[in-house]
Amino acid sequence: MIFILQILIYLILFTAAVKAVAGNNPVGCVFFYPKPVQQRVYDLGLTTPEIIRKRKTIFFTALS
């Protein structure tokens, strides 16, 4: 029973971390996607590599 509770807590924390980074904009989590997809997002002008680098840092800091 405790194992299931731990899994649920980790799932909630992971979901909260993704929500904090992405907000209501899925482009915020583009670092999960392959490089060609990231490059296409940059080419379209939806975001910049610097912004994605900051969001990636925030995400992985929140997970650790």
Side-chain angles (χ1 to χ4, degrees):
M1 183 65 180
I2 292 176
F3 183 69
I4 294 172
L5 183 60
Q6 287 177 336
I7 290 173
L8 288 174
I9 290 171
Y10 288 132
L11 178 65
I12 291 169
L13 290 175
F14 181 78
T15 303
V18 170
K19 181 66 175 168
V21 172
N24 291 330
N25 187 359
V27 175
C29 285
V30 76
F31 57 86
F32 286 124
Y33 292 94
K35 292 295 180 187
V37 174
Q38 292 177 13
Q39 189 59 44
R40 179 71 175 148
V41 170
Y42 301 148
D43 292 343
L44 290 173
L46 298 175
T47 189
T48 63
E50 294 79 25
I51 293 172
I52 295 302
R53 196 172 310 118
K54 286 180 191 177
R55 289 180 182 222
K56 184 177 181 180
T57 303
I58 292 169
F59 176 76
F60 285 113
T61 303
L63 280 183
S64 60

